[in-house]
Amino acid sequence: MIPVNYHHLYYFWVIAKTGRIGAASRKLYLSQPTLSLQIKELERSLGNRLFDRNRKGVKLTPEGRIAFDYCERIFSQGAELVAS
């Protein structure tokens, strides 16, 4: 069993880059409630909150910053793989 769902990581990464769940949901073609649920699943699997949410959008928690840095490397290497 894979302990982390990579789709969830991708959704998290897109939200973190856009700063808003609504903007990410439009980019990912997912509803906001669906996307929020996927992030809650990721947070549960990692055992930490990744975002602080407010009316203006989302902000990474310290644990979210660590996860984001990993995602930057993961998805950068994925792009390199496709390019090669």
Side-chain angles (χ1 to χ4, degrees):
M1 180 178 139
I2 298 174
V4 176
N5 182 311
Y6 286 91
H7 284 102
H8 293 171
L9 278 179
Y10 183 71
Y11 301 156
F12 160 76
W13 185 61
V14 172
I15 293 168
K17 288 175 84 65
T18 62
R20 298 185 65 82
I21 293 176
S25 72
R26 288 186 292 279
K27 183 174 182 158
L28 295 166
Y29 300 103
L30 295 170
S31 71
Q32 287 184 25
T34 297
L35 197 50
S36 292
L37 181 63
Q38 301 302 306
I39 295 306
K40 286 181 196 248
E41 289 291 322
L42 177 61
E43 290 175 328
R44 186 173 45 179
S45 71
L46 295 176
N48 288 295
R49 252 184 42 255
L50 301 174
F51 292 115
D52 286 323
R53 296 160 176 87
N54 61 46
R55 289 182 175 197
K56 294 181 181 181
V58 295
K59 182 180 174 201
L60 290 170
T61 63
E63 296 82 7
R65 171 52 57 191
I66 292 168
F68 180 77
D69 291 343
Y70 274 101
C71 287
E72 287 280 273
R73 292 193 300 269
I74 290 166
F75 295 115
S76 174
Q77 288 180 336
E80 288 176 21
L81 173 63
V82 171
S84 66

